[in-house]
Amino acid sequence: MKKIKFIVIAGSSGGHILPAIKYLNNLSKIKDPNKIIFISNEVGDNYIERINSNKINKLILSSKNKFTYILKIILYVTPLFLLNRNITLLGFGGFITSPILIISKFFNIFFLSSNKIYIHEQNIIYGLANKINYFIAKNSFISFPKLKLRRKEIFVGNFFLDRDKVKEKIDNNFVNILLMGGSAGSLDLNKKMLNKISNLSRIHLNKLKFFIQIPNSHLDIIKKKYEAIIDDDRFTFFSFKDNLNFIDYDFVVSRSGSGSLNEILYYNNNVYFIPHLISRDQHQKFNLNYFLSHKMSLSKFLIPNIKNKKNQYYFNSLINPHSIEKIICYTTR
């Protein structure tokens, strides 16, 4: 821990943590993983097994009590900044990033350190933490293009998981319907789906197969509701899938968080997005408005009764599967 060259911070949601982990995995291929530390909170602890190298240092601190979290951060990171005067920091969003980046800036000013501070914003608007972080960052890597970039902004496109991963096999004799909303966020999406299919004819229903994301805690209740409408051999439930094959689905219903939104649209624009409006800044609504205005998603919730013809040349040029690699070029040069 005495020799640290890179500090990567992300917390609060998978939308922040997953791009951070992809950055860590790619970074550890070209830089000594022993000199990298990943700082996260209890949410990030659920994703730790996705970090490929066990040599990367990890610091997981609870942030439920913000005051005690800040005290712990001061206790843990101050020695790092005292022993290392030239660290590259990258914050991927969430409250937990701000105290660390601010302490780093403090060392730059008062201890003549040469720490480089970067941030990454995956949504079309800055979250509260990144609104603060922007003022102390050297550069801000943004995911959505703008007609006019702010002075510190660098457009990299949106984060993308892995194009080469092995994907699920889907029976293309049916019209395949995917619903995904991320853990508890899919509950109201399932209500909308159930309402839609309850009005479909038996002939229409017999052509369909459903793949439904639902948290395990609500599986029995939701499953019974589907079984009351359609035979149970026509649906598959899952809480999480790492091998979704978006290109082979004929219709997708999803949240409009930047991660799922961009990965789906890279392969398929037969998708109807429903934004999660609980967040303070309603960033999912703004993400969706952007893609609707560019005619990249469906404006109506209509379940097809025939298979959609696949356009093998479909490509969404606004999504960059190499965005993380681009960030590494900037932060390691």
Side-chain angles (χ1 to χ4, degrees):
M1 294 289 285
K2 289 183 178 180
K3 295 292 183 181
I4 291 295
K5 290 294 184 182
F6 294 89
I7 297 178
V8 180
I9 320 110
S12 302
S13 75
H16 300 307
I17 296 163
L18 287 171
I21 288 178
K22 177 155 188 182
Y23 176 84
L24 286 166
N25 288 338
N26 288 9
L27 181 66
S28 63
K29 294 176 183 177
I30 61 172
K31 297 294 181 179
D32 184 354
N34 291 294
K35 297 181 180 180
I36 303 170
I37 182 169
F38 175 52
I39 302 177
S40 189
N41 59 1
E42 58 276 10
V43 180
D45 197 31
N46 297 323
Y47 297 85
I48 285 295
E49 72 279 359
R50 291 170 173 262
I51 297 177
N52 294 337
S53 174
N54 58 13
K55 295 180 180 180
I56 292 175
N57 302 282
K58 305 166 190 74
L59 177 60
I60 307 297
L61 298 173
S62 173
S63 62
K64 291 180 180 179
N65 184 311
K66 291 181 171 55
F67 178 73
T68 56
Y69 167 76
I70 292 173
L71 290 180
K72 289 177 183 177
I73 279 296
I74 293 172
L75 175 65
Y76 282 107
V77 305
T78 298
L80 288 179
F81 290 127
L82 286 171
L83 293 168
N84 304 274
R85 299 302 180 92
N86 187 16
I87 302 175
T88 297
L89 298 95
L90 179 51
F92 279 87
F95 157 76
I96 72 166
T97 60
S98 296
I100 301 167
L101 300 184
I102 290 171
I103 293 171
S104 176
K105 187 68 173 181
F106 177 87
F107 270 80
N108 282 356
I109 295 172
F110 295 101
F111 291 86
L112 302 179
S113 295
S114 301
N115 301 319
K116 297 177 182 177
I117 302 170
Y118 300 94
I119 60 173
H120 174 266
E121 179 55 61
Q122 66 269 48
N123 294 297
I124 196 168
I125 61 171
Y126 283 85
L128 179 59
N130 272 345
K131 286 178 180 176
I132 298 169
N133 297 339
Y134 180 85
F135 291 102
I136 60 176
K138 179 179 186 288
N139 287 112
S140 171
F141 302 112
I142 64 170
S143 304
F144 286 81
K146 296 181 178 180
L147 290 175
K148 186 176 181 180
L149 295 175
R150 294 163 69 180
R151 182 176 61 85
K152 295 180 180 181
E153 290 178 335
I154 298 172
F155 170 61
V156 296
N158 216 299
F159 142 79
F160 194 90
L161 278 169
D162 186 357
R163 291 177 300 163
D164 300 321
K165 64 185 177 184
V166 177
K167 297 180 176 65
E168 63 185 338
K169 299 293 184 182
I170 299 175
D171 186 349
N172 282 314
N173 291 314
F174 293 90
V175 177
N176 295 300
I177 312 295
L178 172 66
L179 182 149
M180 54 183 295
S183 63
S186 63
L187 291 176
D188 60 318
L189 271 66
N190 274 285
K191 290 179 182 178
K192 292 178 186 293
M193 179 66 79
L194 285 162
N195 181 59
K196 284 289 181 181
I197 67 174
S198 65
N199 295 311
L200 298 179
S201 68
R202 179 56 54 182
I203 293 174
H204 190 167
L205 284 172
N206 287 340
K207 298 177 181 178
L208 309 177
K209 270 204 170 182
F210 294 87
F211 299 80
I212 305 293
Q213 184 180 41
I214 195 72
N216 290 326
S217 57
H218 292 79
L219 175 59
D220 291 340
I221 296 172
I222 295 295
K223 184 177 180 181
K224 288 178 181 177
K225 291 182 178 180
Y226 278 99
E227 288 175 339
I229 301 171
I230 187 171
D231 297 335
D232 61 4
D233 63 343
R234 293 304 177 88
F235 50 78
T236 298
F237 292 102
F238 65 96
S239 60
F240 175 78
K241 269 190 180 184
D242 198 31
N243 64 338
L244 284 166
N245 187 10
F246 294 115
I247 197 169
D248 280 343
Y249 285 101
D250 300 284
F251 181 67
V252 181
V253 178
S254 173
R255 287 294 182 208
S256 51
S258 61
S260 57
L261 182 149
N262 282 277
E263 188 165 11
I264 294 168
L265 287 176
Y266 187 77
Y267 292 111
N268 192 338
N269 63 346
N270 295 311
V271 53
Y272 180 78
F273 289 111
I274 301 175
H276 205 345
L277 301 178
I278 292 178
S279 61
R280 185 191 301 110
D281 54 20
Q282 296 191 3
H283 60 269
Q284 291 198 9
K285 180 182 75 173
F286 291 104
N287 291 346
L288 175 57
N289 288 344
Y290 178 88
F291 282 102
L292 284 173
S293 68
H294 287 77
K295 296 181 171 48
M296 293 181 178
S297 59
L298 301 174
S299 58
K300 293 182 179 180
F301 192 147
L302 296 174
I303 298 177
N305 59 6
I306 59 172
K307 293 192 69 64
N308 284 308
K309 293 181 180 179
K310 303 298 182 187
N311 180 354
Q312 61 179 319
Y313 301 109
Y314 168 73
F315 178 74
N316 187 333
S317 60
L318 294 178
I319 297 167
N320 179 12
H322 305 291
S323 63
I324 298 297
E325 288 86 347
K326 189 172 180 180
I327 294 172
I328 284 180
C329 288
Y330 276 99
T331 56
T332 60
R333 63 183 183 181

